[in-house]
Every structure is written in structure tokens, then in C-alpha cells.
Amino acid sequence: MFLRSIIDSFPKTWIIQKRYLPKIKIPEYLLDRTVKPEEVLSRLTPEDTERLEFCMAEYQNMLEKGADVPKSLNKRNVLDLLCCTSPTSRIKFLRFLFKCEKRDENALMKKLEKVTVVPERTPGSCDRILRIIDDKCFRSHWDFWQSSEIRCPDSAQPLLFDFSYESEMRLVDLRSLSNQMTYVLNRNRIMRPHPFHMVLCGLKQGTNQFAYMEEAFGVNAKLSTIKSLNELPWTITPNHFSHEYPIHDLEQPVILLSPNARQTFEAGEFDHNAAYVIGAIVDKAVRRPISSAIARQLRKY
């Protein structure tokens, strides 16, 4: 009775949070982003169904109290919320969705506030400016020019991205990496005088990383002209970079770049004949120097 009186003295919400405080091991089928969220949510186990009901009740409680949570959740958001392993991670995820929702609302409001100035008279044909060149035309020109450059091995220096670190990253890291690759491709489009020949090594179809890459680049999205990642100006191979470019080739040496390297670039040390390798990894949650260890291991062979 004494213990019961102590338990009753705590708030009910505190007891519920403490009950689910230990981190939960997420099943593998919930982490598969190659399957549509609707299909995954339709075949939940009884334990995951109970946990989903708790997460949604927690979300509704926060929404009613006016917390920083989005007004609604789509199927992908519900699945990502179910993959959160602790109350703190769920709060951070809902707060992130809230910020994204407010950002989209502000962008829409700014767009609606723009006033279209209607001219008092209709301009004559001699006063009209035909705007036949837009951003899409520029991008098409850049892509055609870049595709022509990477076909020439004398002008396009290979820049390799090692996508073999998927097992070391979380889902949020995989999505962040895909967004970073959109920036990399955009910068490589406008590089002068010669762009890099980007080679995505170890990027395999049917993986979560490949699915996030397709989502980031709008593959099969509505009104998108990109139907495959292979249509973009780069080369994708499922093989490791050591199979595509020999490690001990003296004419074209392979240099691995790592934030944990013992050596740094000096002035004038950049080799235009080398193939540089960048680890396609978001290592915010990775504590051990993986890329540096792989470089030391490959040096032995």
C-alpha cells in the first residue's frame, strides 16, 4: 500500500514516459524504405501496432496542448515516427516536421503577397520581349556540356563517391546524404573549365540509400522528367571503387580523402591525374574513423 501511494503521487504522463523510456530495437521491415509506407503500415506486428497507437496518442496530446508539432502527419511521417526509439527522439522529430511545415507556409505566404503589376496599355509587338531562355534551358545546356566533358578522359578528372557505408548510418543520415548530393551535382554542373567525372561507387539498387537518392532527385515524381538516376550526368556502379580503379596504378593513383587523415593538402599538391575518393557518409553519429581505417587497410594490399 505504501508503494502504491508513492506511485499514485506521480503524474500519469510521467509514468507513461518512464514506461517507454528505454530504447526499443526497431525491426528490420520498418527500416526498409524501398517499400511504400502504406504497405509497411498495413502489415505491422501486434507489438508495433500497440506502439504506434501510443505514439499517435502522444502526438495528439502534444497537438492539443499547443506544442511545436505539425498539424497533420502523412504515411511517411507516421512510419518515421514509429522508428523513433525514445520519447526524446520523437519530440525532436515532430519539432523538425513543425519547422518544415512553417517554412512551407511562410514561402507560400510570400508568394501570395507578391502583387502582379498590370500595365495600363498593351505593349506593341516591337516592345515585347520573348523570354525563350529560362533556367531549364540553362540546366539542359549544362547537362549536355557536362556529359560531353565526362566522355573525354583527358579533360574530366574522376571524383569517386564511396557509398559502402550504409550500414553505419541512420535513416536520417541517409536522407541528409541524398540532399547533400543534390548540392554536389549542382556545383559540378557549373564548374569551369572542366567538371569532375562523378562516379558513385557501391550505390546498389533496392537499398535505402538508392531510394532516398531517387526521392531527393525527383525520380518518378509528379511533373518530373527524370525517370532514372542514370539519366543524370554521372556514372553509377554497384561495385567498390577498388574494382573500378586499381589502387596501385602509377599513372592514375587513387587517393582516399578522410577527415581523420594524418596528412593534409599542401599548396600545389593537388594531382590532376589522380582519382580522389570521398566517403559518402554522414558521420554525425559515427564515432570511429571508418574511412581512415579503410584507407590504411587498402594500403597493405
Side-chain angles (χ1 to χ4, degrees):
M1 295 296 294
F2 177 73
L3 182 60
R4 185 65 181 177
S5 61
I6 295 178
I7 295 176
D8 293 338
S9 63
F10 288 100
K12 190 174 182 180
T13 56
W14 185 89
I15 298 175
I16 293 177
Q17 290 181 357
K18 287 299 179 181
R19 177 187 173 188
Y20 284 86
L21 185 58
K23 287 192 174 182
I24 304 170
K25 184 177 180 181
I26 305 300
E28 292 295 333
Y29 78 98
L30 292 179
L31 301 176
D32 189 3
R33 291 299 179 268
T34 61
V35 184
K36 294 182 179 180
E38 296 81 2
E39 298 180 8
V40 178
L41 294 175
S42 62
R43 51 186 177 89
L44 294 177
T45 61
E47 293 80 5
D48 293 332
T49 303
E50 181 181 359
R51 190 160 56 88
L52 178 60
E53 293 177 356
F54 173 80
C55 293
M56 295 305 297
E58 186 181 48
Y59 161 71
Q60 291 294 336
N61 186 26
M62 296 174 64
L63 183 63
E64 293 175 358
K65 291 184 177 181
D68 294 342
V69 295
K71 299 177 182 178
S72 61
L73 299 175
N74 55 29
K75 297 296 183 181
R76 173 58 66 85
N77 299 147
V78 173
L79 183 58
D80 291 340
L81 182 64
L82 187 60
C83 293
C84 296
T85 57
S86 64
T88 304
S89 61
R90 290 195 294 269
I91 293 175
K92 290 183 178 179
F93 176 68
L94 292 174
R95 190 174 299 168
F96 168 74
L97 295 180
F98 174 77
K99 293 180 180 179
C100 294
E101 184 182 65
K102 291 301 180 182
R103 179 197 60 193
D104 296 339
E105 290 180 358
N106 293 335
L108 181 61
M109 290 299 297
K110 290 181 180 179
K111 186 176 181 180
L112 295 177
E113 288 176 357
K114 291 184 179 179
V115 180
T116 305
V117 179
V118 181
E120 297 180 357
R121 64 180 183 85
T122 304
S125 58
C126 58
D127 299 330
R128 294 176 183 174
I129 300 176
L130 300 179
R131 301 185 180 276
I132 60 176
I133 300 178
D134 56 1
D135 294 339
K136 186 177 180 181
C137 297
F138 278 115
R139 287 196 301 269
S140 300
H141 170 71
W142 287 339
D143 289 346
F144 176 77
W145 169 76
Q146 187 176 0
S147 300
S148 302
E149 285 290 323
I150 65 177
R151 295 191 190 100
C152 181
D154 296 332
S155 60
Q157 183 176 5
L159 181 62
L160 315 181
F161 290 86
D162 185 11
F163 279 84
S164 61
Y165 301 96
E166 182 173 349
S167 60
E168 302 291 340
M169 293 188 292
R170 305 167 299 175
L171 292 178
V172 63
D173 299 329
L174 298 178
R175 181 180 297 173
S176 178
L177 173 60
S178 302
N179 295 332
Q180 292 178 14
M181 290 304 299
T182 60
Y183 175 78
V184 171
L185 180 62
N186 182 44
R187 298 305 302 175
N188 196 43
R189 271 192 175 115
I190 58 179
M191 283 195 63
R192 300 294 186 271
H194 304 295
F196 285 103
H197 178 193
M198 297 172 56
V199 183
L200 311 187
C201 303
L203 184 59
K204 301 178 182 179
Q205 193 170 5
T207 59
N208 290 338
Q209 184 63 78
F210 198 91
Y212 278 126
M213 288 284 288
E214 289 183 332
E215 181 181 351
F217 286 93
V219 177
N220 296 326
K222 189 177 181 180
L223 302 179
S224 176
T225 58
I226 303 175
K227 302 303 179 183
S228 173
L229 290 177
N230 294 314
E231 297 180 5
L232 297 172
W234 55 27
T235 301
I236 299 178
T237 173
N239 302 325
H240 195 261
F241 66 87
S242 59
H243 295 279
E244 301 294 332
Y245 292 84
I247 300 297
H248 302 289
D249 189 358
L250 299 179
E251 296 182 358
Q252 189 179 45
V254 178
I255 301 177
L256 276 73
L257 304 179
S258 173
N260 305 105
R262 299 177 181 177
Q263 299 177 355
T264 58
F265 273 116
E266 301 294 339
E269 194 179 1
F270 185 83
D271 189 357
H272 293 274
N273 297 323
Y276 288 94
V277 182
I278 298 178
I281 178 173
V282 177
D283 53 357
K284 185 177 181 180
V286 179
R287 298 181 180 179
R288 54 186 183 276
I290 303 176
S291 56
S292 179
I294 292 178
R296 291 195 300 269
Q297 184 179 5
L298 291 176
R299 182 182 295 180
K300 299 178 182 179
Y301 297 99

